[in-house]
Structure formats: C-alpha cells, structure tokens
Amino acid sequence: MESFQRPLADPFVTEAELVQGLQSGDPAAFERLVRDYSGRLLAVARRFLTQEQDAQDALQDAFLSAFRSISRFEGNSQLSTWLHRIVVNASLMKLRTRRRKPEKPIDDLLPQFSGNGHRDGHEPAWAVTIDTAVNDREIRELVRTKIAELPESYRTVLLLRDIEQMSTEETAEVLELTPGAVKTRLHRARQALKTLLDPHMQGA
Amino acid sequence: MNHAKLSCKEIYEYLAEFLDHALPANQQDVMETHLEHCPCCKHYLDNYRETLILGKAACCNKMNPPPPAPDALINAILEARKQGPDEIPPTE
Ligand SMILES: [Zn+2]
C-alpha cells in the first residue's frame, strides 16, 4: 500500500536518480530497473542462447550480478551499456557451463572450389536490394533465425565481433582463442550466414 | 598471397581483410583488379557485405523493439534479489 502514498511524480526520471536509488537499496529502483531493461536485455541473451530457458537464466544471473556490483557503478558509461555488457558476460558464462551439443560442421555452408581454385557453381547477385531487405521486418526476423542456426562456436564469434562490436583481441580473450582463430571463425560465420540467406535473397 | 595468379578461392579467403582495408596496398590493388574482372567474386563480395549489414540490422534493438520480458521472469528476478543477501555475503 505504501506505493500509493508516494508522490505521483516519477522518482526516477533521470538515470542518475535511478542509479542513486539502486545504490541506496531502494526496492522501487530495482523494480524499475528490471521492468525497464529486461526486454531488451533478454533479446541480447536470446541471440547467444537459443534455448529460451538458458536465455532467461542468463538474464537473471546478469541482474543479480548487476545488483551486487551496482555500488561500483561510477557513471563513466551509460547504465544501459553497463548492463548490456553484464548480460553478454552472463550469456558467455552460460554457454561455457551448459552441456554442449555436438556441432554440425560448418563446411557444408561454405563455398566449394574445384582443383584450379575456381568456384563450383556460379554466384548470382542477390535480387533483393539491401535497402529493401534492411527495412523489411520479416527479412530481419529471418536473418535472426538464420544466425541462430549457425554452429554455436561460429555464432558466438559473429555476435561478439559484428553485433557487439568487440575487437578481435577482446573477443579472443573472452573466448580463449587466438586472434587468428577469431578472424577465421568470423569469416566462416559470415560466409555460412550468407549461404543460409541465399535462397531467400535470390528472388523468386 | 601470390600476386601474379590469384585464384577465386584465394580472393574469397581475403574478403574480410579487403573490406576492412587491412591488406597492404599492393594486395588491395590485386584484389580490386580481380574483382573488376570476375563477376563471380564481385557478386560474392557484394552478397557477403550485404550479409554483414543485414546481420547488424536484424540484431539492432532500435529497429526491432524487443517485447517485454515475461512477467514470471521479472518477478523471479525481483524475488531472487530479496533472497540474495542470505546466499551471497557482502563483499565489504
Ligand atoms: Zn574470381
């Protein structure tokens, strides 16, 4: 009932007010944080973890981790950026600890060449223009589905490098790979995603 | 990279570096010359580049506003926080 007696004015208009509320342990601030940020952060976790339960677990781990370390949040970055990074870390942790299914080899999704280095088969230009594709909600959804179909070790590199915009070195460090391996996997992941998109982009 | 005879297979391998302009100038030039004369590689490069753009667009939260998280999950997180201090000793 106490919440009804609070002034109607929103106590957390600015990010600084919300952070202050969190740091002073105000339950209303925690609730606000979770309600405002969980949708977009769950979307991040779902990209890394294709099983819904894993994604939800990672989000919960991330928030608990954020609650524990909010006292150390100094406002050098935006709260959303800080939370985003925590969710990525929690998702990577979940990937590491969860039972790993054997991966399908990526080779089937890579272009094939004949002995003289010429491509087997030809490569038509995509019929759908990039502007049309980018602005088409259904195509964007299709792309997300295809990213989810990539073998996990390739998908993770693609997400960290191309989507999360981590550097090659940073990605290598968090995944315990060499920078060379990150580069190779990124290129293969992009090639595989392209192959998966081909039938949908080459037109009727 | 063998500059004189660059096969399509080799062109495909260096596409990421080519797009990042991360190759030495003379290698970048060799790639460009090949791409001008080889529609197969040129189309592959274009489609590869568009895949990158599409991937970013598909994962952009601004372009694809995510639905709210399920209420049950939100409640579970808030509940877990209340129980947190018993399980996790303060770090001070
Ligand atoms: Zn070629």
Side-chain angles (χ1 to χ4, degrees), chain A residues 118, chain B residues 6-9 11-12 34 38-42:
Chain A
H118 282 298
Chain B
L6 211 51
S7 69
C8 296
K9 188 174 186 218
I11 294 285
Y12 275 48
H34 182 117
C38 181
C40 173
C41 283
K42 177 66 170 75

Side-chain angles (χ1 to χ4, degrees), chain A residues 166-178:
Chain A
M166 273 193 195
S167 68
T168 298
E169 290 68 29
E170 212 181 345
T171 305
E173 201 180 313
V174 295
L175 297 180
E176 296 178 6
L177 294 170
T178 63

Side-chain angles (χ1 to χ4, degrees), chain B:
Chain B
M1 206 188 278
N2 180 341
H3 292 188
K5 304 186 279 181
L6 211 51
S7 69
C8 296
K9 188 174 186 218
E10 287 170 294
I11 294 285
Y12 275 48
E13 278 311 293
Y14 289 100
L15 287 183
E17 286 87 351
F18 176 76
L19 285 178
D20 287 343
H21 303 283
L23 295 169
N26 58 337
Q27 295 182 10
Q28 201 84 14
D29 290 345
V30 171
M31 294 272 291
E32 255 159 40
T33 308
H34 182 117
L35 288 160
E36 275 166 28
H37 296 98
C38 181
C40 173
C41 283
K42 177 66 170 75
H43 291 161
Y44 193 85
L45 172 72
D46 290 344
N47 297 343
Y48 178 96
R49 185 166 41 203
E50 291 185 13
T51 298
L52 287 188
I53 297 169
L54 268 179
K56 287 179 189 170
C59 296
C60 168
N61 278 356
K62 281 203 183 79
M63 291 182 80
N64 312 276
D71 274 335
L73 177 59
I74 291 177
N75 293 332
I77 291 169
L78 292 170
E79 203 51 43
R81 187 190 80 87
K82 285 186 202 153
Q83 289 161 10
D86 296 338
E87 294 163 31
I88 306 133
T91 44
E92 285 82 30

Side-chain angles (χ1 to χ4, degrees), chain A residues 151-199:
Chain A
E152 183 186 295
S153 63
Y154 292 87
R155 185 181 67 245
T156 307
V157 171
L158 181 103
L159 289 173
L160 293 178
R161 289 282 292 109
D162 283 345
I163 308 304
E164 301 300 333
Q165 312 271 351
M166 273 193 195
S167 68
T168 298
E169 290 68 29
E170 212 181 345
T171 305
E173 201 180 313
V174 295
L175 297 180
E176 296 178 6
L177 294 170
T178 63
V182 169
K183 284 184 190 170
T184 305
R185 275 195 212 180
L186 175 62
H187 184 48
R188 299 273 176 272
R190 291 164 167 181
Q191 288 184 297
L193 179 59
K194 183 210 151 289
T195 304
L196 290 170
L197 294 177
D198 274 338

Side-chain angles (χ1 to χ4, degrees), chain A residues 17-156:
Chain A
E17 286 169 339
L18 182 58
V19 170
Q20 198 178 22
L22 294 167
Q23 291 183 335
S24 63
D26 180 351
F30 288 105
E31 178 154 0
R32 168 62 79 82
L33 183 81
V34 176
R35 291 203 184 278
D36 279 5
Y37 290 89
S38 54
R40 62 186 108 158
L41 294 176
L42 183 58
V44 175
R46 278 174 178 155
R47 294 202 279 264
F48 286 92
L49 298 153
T50 51
Q51 299 290 313
E52 177 64 15
Q53 191 57 53
D54 289 338
Q56 294 199 9
D57 288 351
L59 184 71
Q60 174 154 342
D61 293 346
F63 270 115
L64 293 180
S65 161
F67 296 157
R68 283 198 297 276
S69 50
I70 189 66
S71 61
R72 295 197 295 276
F73 177 76
E74 287 173 345
N76 295 329
S77 61
Q78 276 194 320
L79 190 58
S80 56
T81 311
W82 183 73
L83 287 168
H84 189 111
R85 186 56 198 261
I86 293 176
V87 168
V88 170
N89 287 343
S91 302
L92 293 175
M93 183 67 79
K94 192 84 199 163
L95 279 175
R96 250 178 253 131
T97 55
R98 145 177 113 4
R99 195 162 37 99
R100 192 168 285 206
K101 279 184 282 182
E103 273 185 12
K104 265 190 252 165
I106 199 157
D107 303 48
D108 298 347
L109 298 173
L110 300 180
Q112 304 298 314
F113 296 87
S114 58
N116 62 5
H118 282 298
R119 178 83 185 273
D120 282 350
H122 78 303
E123 176 76 25
W126 278 356
V128 186
T129 69
I130 188 65
D131 285 347
T132 306
V134 160
N135 290 304
D136 186 318
R137 195 181 52 80
E138 280 178 28
I139 292 185
R140 295 198 305 270
E141 195 174 322
L142 171 86
V143 174
R144 286 195 294 278
T145 309
K146 296 304 173 189
I147 290 175
E149 283 177 25
L150 293 174
E152 183 186 295
S153 63
Y154 292 87
R155 185 181 67 245
T156 307

